[in-house]
Amino acid sequence: MQMKLELLLEAAGAKLAFSSHTFEAAKPMGECHTDWAAAEKKTFLAAGEAAGWEISLSYAAVNGENPGAEIEVEWLHRGESAQAAAEVRFEFAAWTPSTYVLVPGAVYKGNRFEARKLSYPPCWTRLPERGPEVPALITDVPRLAYGDGPSAFHLLAGDAATPAVGLYDPVRRQGCLIFTRQRTEFGETSIHVAEAEDRSSAVVAFRAPGVRPLTKYDMCTTEEPSMDRGADFREGDKIHMSFQAYSFPCSSVGGLFGVLTQVRRSLTGTPELSWGLPFSAAWEIQEKKYNEMNWNRAYGYYAVGTVDMKHQDWQLGWVGGGMSSYALLLEGGEESVRRARRTVDFIFSGQTAAGFFSGVFYNGRWYGDEFNDDPARDAPEQWHIVRKSADALYFLVKHFIALNKRGLNEPVPEQWLTGTRRLADGFLRLWSRYGQFGQWVHAGTGEMLAGGSAGGAMAIGGLALYGRYLDEEVYLTAACAAGDYYYRRYTLEGVTTGGPGEILQCPDSESAFALLESFVVLYETTGEAKWLERAEEAAQQALTWCVSYNFAFPEGSTFQRLGMLTAGSVIANVQNKHSAPGICTLSGDSLFRLFRATGNLLYLEQLRETAHQLTQYLSRHDRPVRGWDGLDMPPGYMSERVNMSDWEGEERVGEALPLSCWCEVSSMLTYAEVPGIYVQPDKGLLWAADHVECSLQEEEGKPVLTVANPTDYPAVVKLFVELSTAAGLPLGPCASADWPRLRVAPGGVRKISLAL
């Protein structure tokens, strides 16, 4: 067993070492270091004149498709030490700046991009860089240096979707993954990656208790004073640190993501899920709230929020404008359907000559998409986040299909058809002129103001779906060409950027999921196998943003008191370091469609976690969620903040932003598009995302499904049953309209015989 760990480290190009650190507040004051001696059962590390650590290391093989090593390190303190921390180090002697460095949800490609120090919200109008070929620019986030000089980043485990560091060495064609746990007996663990100034070596280290030296990350700055502190250790105190390490041949960044997807839960195990509110019960609360609080009577649309302010009124796409209306059109009652249709009418009232839209509307006036109010901005009313119009194209076509699925026996209004064609043609012109969709365009002319991001990725899926809807090849041809470009430029490189409009081009989860959605649509519309392969690669990258374990919130925090479980939530981006209740702004049904095409259960597993966990975040009468303003949020509110990181201050970890947010739309889309129960009776496959307990057995030669509702709410559960041989056939949008609903009373049980 000893040789296996040594060989694993050798293959990774690393050696194992230990350090003891002392601090004055967060200022490093001293360090003692020793290498791991494999032949020795224990290692002694001095920690000053009258103190030290007895370090015991044990390990065992992790067998399976991806063999690795599970490592346990026990630190036994001798003597007394003040403000100290213990550190396990993986030291890499053969290193190049081309090494791809990953911390899931926090660091992609080392975040090694040009950075600008701007206050929040950072805006392109404040930068001199313009045009389609602007360099990738990020804000001042934790990162490795883009140029010369010191190069290091320091994180707490809560900054990561999975507490881990991944490396891909393109020179040695080797991958490496190192996992740890969020906490030890002495608090949260910290994660450190530091390069030598000549970039010839590097260290990946894990420290307990976690201490980020001198400074920490706060909104858009890495220069906030660190409040981390070492611990005071006495004779006999112990720290237990756990790791899993993998080293494997790897020919691409995608190979690193692929292994990570397989093993990311192997140290922490399958996470517990929350139980309590069925999808249908959440839907009822949200539909009521949207009609009572989000409906703008004066102008006739569903607002994205409830507060009287510009960005809570109307924003197209992104945070829910024209997306909530789709869910309500597909699933809502008569009033919701009528208002959803009026919302689409309103959307086209803001269309420009270029076919795009002004992204913001407030009190009778259209605005550009810039967030900042700096009076020196350059024509801010003309700046449009192209992602918003891309989302609109995709969801407008889904509105058309929903109209037909609802059987309303009314043609799609001519205004909708004409406006959507103008929008699709606007994207065709963008593609023809620039060979990309960019991140920011001039709303009125279609000129690309800032390119070089994956922000417009949803236009691929929108053009493909629109081309199929009209049976017009020109749109599908452009979608395929754009899909090729975005795959090469972003998926293959392992970095997706530009989804949110207020992070410059920091890596983000939203563009990753948009690429997944678009590749799935391309596969379903063309039948070409390459799009299925690319969808899998995009899914593996997108899953790195999904929290894989349940974070331990601070005692007494709102989320700790309510028993909130973080597995399945999705980290937004590397600037806004919160996780969120769902995918911004999608149901995640692309993972379900991808499972049907591939049979890979990992996609169902992720979808179950993300979908099932959503309803726990919904504030309701019998279980209000208190905002950080000290007030209970109204029923139907859902905050986007699942703060595991202290990027907004230590006091905000486990606390809720008291606003109605886009994640409410993700929840509604989930009920509208994702089956509550899915069965392939011929294979004995049973999967349930909703808050019901299910079993499948055979009675008198026929499969029988038993569904129990353990909650205090009536459940109306969508059931999708098919033979495994049918799973390879694409469902297309709005398939859920044809699925039967099962009504199960609180505490009730239903049995259903399934016909093969």
Side-chain angles (χ1 to χ4, degrees):
M1 297 291 286
Q2 277 190 334
M3 287 301 295
K4 288 189 177 181
L5 179 56
E6 291 178 71
L7 290 173
L8 184 148
L9 292 169
E10 182 180 345
K15 70 174 184 178
L16 195 59
F18 309 106
S19 286
S20 176
H21 296 263
T22 55
F23 300 90
E24 183 179 295
K27 180 181 178 181
M29 299 301 292
E31 177 183 357
C32 299
H33 176 280
T34 187
D35 293 337
W36 173 55
E40 302 293 332
K41 290 185 177 181
K42 291 187 178 181
T43 302
F44 185 79
L45 173 61
E49 293 183 2
W53 295 97
E54 289 183 7
I55 305 169
S56 303
L57 183 146
S58 62
Y59 51 90
V62 176
N63 298 314
E65 185 178 346
N66 301 288
E70 185 158 353
I71 306 166
E72 299 289 336
V73 181
E74 180 185 89
W75 301 71
L76 173 62
H77 196 264
R78 296 303 187 188
E80 295 189 359
S81 296
Q83 295 195 51
E87 181 177 277
V88 175
R89 300 163 59 89
F90 295 80
E91 300 178 346
F92 294 83
W95 184 270
T96 71
S98 64
T99 300
Y100 182 102
V101 179
L102 169 71
V103 177
V107 176
Y108 290 78
K109 204 174 183 178
N111 291 348
R112 203 192 298 270
F113 307 99
E114 288 190 51
R116 297 289 185 270
K117 294 187 176 183
L118 300 170
S119 60
Y120 183 87
C123 293
W124 278 103
T125 51
R126 301 171 67 189
L127 299 174
E129 290 85 357
R130 300 286 172 86
E133 299 304 324
V134 295
L137 299 178
I138 65 173
T139 51
D140 183 17
V141 300
R143 65 194 184 278
L144 297 179
Y146 182 73
D148 297 331
S151 180
F153 61 77
H154 311 280
L155 306 168
L156 292 181
D159 290 309
T162 301
V165 175
L167 308 172
Y168 161 58
D169 183 343
V171 177
R172 299 173 61 244
R173 298 176 72 82
Q174 190 73 14
C176 176
L177 287 163
I178 307 167
F179 298 84
T180 193
R181 297 187 185 276
Q182 178 209 339
R183 299 179 61 83
T184 69
E185 301 91 333
F186 286 85
E188 191 161 359
T189 302
S190 55
I191 300 171
H192 310 263
V193 176
E195 297 179 307
E197 290 214 15
D198 64 0
R199 308 297 187 260
S200 64
S201 63
V203 173
V204 175
F206 303 88
R207 192 175 293 168
V211 180
R212 292 160 295 182
L214 297 178
T215 60
K216 63 173 281 288
Y217 178 72
D218 199 76
M219 175 78 86
C220 289
T221 177
T222 58
E223 298 177 356
E224 185 74 10
S226 172
M227 295 293 104
D228 300 338
R229 298 293 182 265
D232 295 335
F233 292 98
R234 298 185 177 185
E235 176 72 28
D237 283 344
K238 290 182 179 180
I239 305 175
H240 295 88
M241 301 178 73
S242 300
F243 304 91
Q244 277 190 358
Y246 298 83
S247 182
F248 45 92
C250 188
S251 59
S252 67
V253 177
L256 179 68
F257 290 145
V259 175
L260 174 61
T261 302
Q262 296 284 339
V263 303
R264 62 197 176 121
R265 294 186 180 89
S266 57
L267 180 61
T268 55
T270 302
E272 177 189 356
L273 300 185
S274 66
W275 289 84
L277 190 65
F279 292 170
S280 58
W283 171 269
E284 287 186 11
I285 295 170
Q286 291 184 281
E287 183 179 17
K288 183 174 185 289
K289 179 256 185 185
Y290 257 72
N291 281 312
E292 291 182 352
M293 303 181 71
N294 289 69
W295 180 246
N296 186 310
R297 295 181 182 276
Y299 297 98
Y301 55 82
Y302 281 114
V304 299
T306 60
V307 178
D308 184 19
M309 59 183 289
K310 185 167 68 173
H311 290 100
Q312 274 266 300
D313 191 0
W314 172 262
Q315 289 193 67
L316 181 68
W318 188 15
V319 292
M323 296 165 155
S324 59
S325 56
Y326 161 69
L328 289 161
L329 180 63
L330 187 60
E331 288 293 336
E334 289 184 11
E335 182 178 46
S336 297
V337 169
R338 184 172 64 254
R339 289 177 169 182
R341 296 186 61 156
R342 285 192 63 192
T343 298
V344 180
D345 291 338
F346 170 79
I347 289 172
F348 289 109
S349 72
Q351 193 165 30
T352 70
F356 301 115
F357 298 93
S358 298
V360 177
F361 182 85
Y362 179 59
N363 282 346
R365 177 184 168 188
W366 291 99
Y367 294 85
D369 282 320
E370 280 279 15
F371 285 79
N372 199 283
D373 292 325
D374 187 336
R377 291 175 301 160
D378 176 23
E381 68 280 356
Q382 296 296 342
W383 283 68
H384 177 54
I385 300 168
V386 75
R387 180 257 177 94
K388 289 188 172 184
S389 283
D391 285 347
L393 177 60
Y394 185 56
F395 275 89
L396 283 169
V397 181
K398 294 172 84 166
H399 278 82
F400 301 168
I401 299 169
L403 272 180
N404 296 328
K405 283 284 190 178
R406 285 296 299 256
L408 298 177
N409 297 320
E410 296 180 27
V412 176
E414 187 61 33
Q415 178 194 12
W416 296 13
L417 293 171
T418 302
T420 303
R421 183 178 288 275
R422 289 173 61 197
L423 175 57
D425 288 346
F427 278 106
L428 286 185
R429 287 190 295 271
L430 263 186
W431 177 253
S432 176
R433 181 177 177 185
Y434 298 107
Q436 59 165 303
F437 299 125
Q439 184 179 14
W440 293 84
V441 297
H442 189 292
T445 66
E447 176 191 0
M448 189 171 294
L449 300 176
S453 87
M458 193 60 83
I460 301 168
L463 287 170
L465 196 61
Y466 186 64
R468 186 178 74 172
Y469 181 80
L470 292 182
D471 196 22
E472 292 191 18
E473 195 66 25
V474 63
Y475 300 106
L476 188 56
T477 298
C480 289
D484 284 333
Y485 168 81
Y486 280 82
Y487 170 74
R488 292 192 307 270
R489 179 77 180 266
Y490 300 103
T491 304
L492 270 182
E493 291 296 315
V495 181
T496 60
T497 68
E502 27 68 88
I503 64 168
L504 297 188
Q505 291 178 353
C506 287
D508 75 279
S509 64
E510 298 169 28
S511 52
F513 275 101
L515 281 169
L516 166 60
E517 192 93 10
S518 289
F519 292 153
V520 168
V521 172
L522 282 175
Y523 171 68
E524 292 180 342
T525 52
T526 68
E528 294 181 22
K530 74 174 184 179
W531 298 118
L532 186 59
E533 295 168 2
R534 293 174 178 185
E536 288 213 78
E537 291 182 55
Q540 290 166 356
Q541 185 170 343
L543 263 57
T544 66
W545 294 92
C546 300
V547 177
S548 61
Y549 73 106
N550 287 322
F551 179 86
F553 285 109
E555 193 71 26
S557 64
T558 297
F559 280 24
Q560 186 272 331
R561 288 188 294 101
L562 293 175
M564 299 289 203
L565 302 177
T566 57
S569 62
V570 184
I571 289 182
N573 53 76
V574 305
Q575 174 189 285
N576 303 343
K577 296 177 69 63
H578 64 84
S579 196
I583 302 163
C584 185
T585 308
L586 299 165
S587 67
D589 79 316
S590 56
L591 290 167
F592 179 66
R593 290 142 63 197
L594 187 56
F595 159 75
R596 292 182 70 255
T598 64
N600 190 334
L601 291 169
L602 283 174
Y603 307 133
L604 278 187
E605 182 182 74
Q606 182 59 62
L607 178 58
R608 179 175 186 248
E609 286 183 12
T610 298
H612 183 93
Q613 302 290 74
L614 268 167
T615 64
Q616 69 175 322
Y617 298 103
L618 193 70
S619 189
R620 56 187 202 253
H621 280 299
D622 63 325
R623 184 180 175 271
V625 177
R626 179 157 294 180
W628 62 45
D629 60 357
L631 303 176
D632 290 342
M633 294 192 291
Y637 269 46
M638 187 183 288
S639 171
E640 70 172 1
R641 297 293 204 272
V642 181
N643 265 349
M644 307 184 302
S645 167
D646 63 353
W647 70 296
E648 293 183 290
E650 185 178 1
E651 71 281 1
R652 296 261 167 102
V653 178
E655 302 299 336
L657 172 71
L659 281 178
S660 173
C661 293
W662 59 263
C663 38
E664 296 165 19
V665 183
S666 293
S667 178
M668 291 193 291
L669 288 171
T670 296
Y671 180 64
E673 294 187 322
V674 174
I677 303 171
Y678 174 68
V679 188
Q680 288 182 6
D682 58 323
K683 292 288 189 180
L685 174 64
L686 172 61
W687 175 83
D690 209 336
H691 290 240
V692 290
E693 297 171 343
C694 304
S695 62
L696 189 64
Q697 55 275 332
E698 191 171 293
E699 295 182 8
E700 299 180 356
K702 294 182 179 180
V704 174
L705 174 67
T706 301
V707 182
N709 177 6
T711 77
D712 296 329
Y713 291 81
V716 180
V717 187
K718 293 182 182 179
L719 171 63
F720 179 27
V721 182
E722 66 177 345
L723 297 177
S724 60
T725 51
L729 301 175
L731 287 176
C734 307
S736 63
D738 300 323
W739 299 336
R741 271 73 163 166
L742 299 178
R743 297 182 181 275
V744 190
V749 179
R750 289 277 307 272
K751 277 193 172 186
I752 305 99
S753 180
L754 305 178
L756 289 175

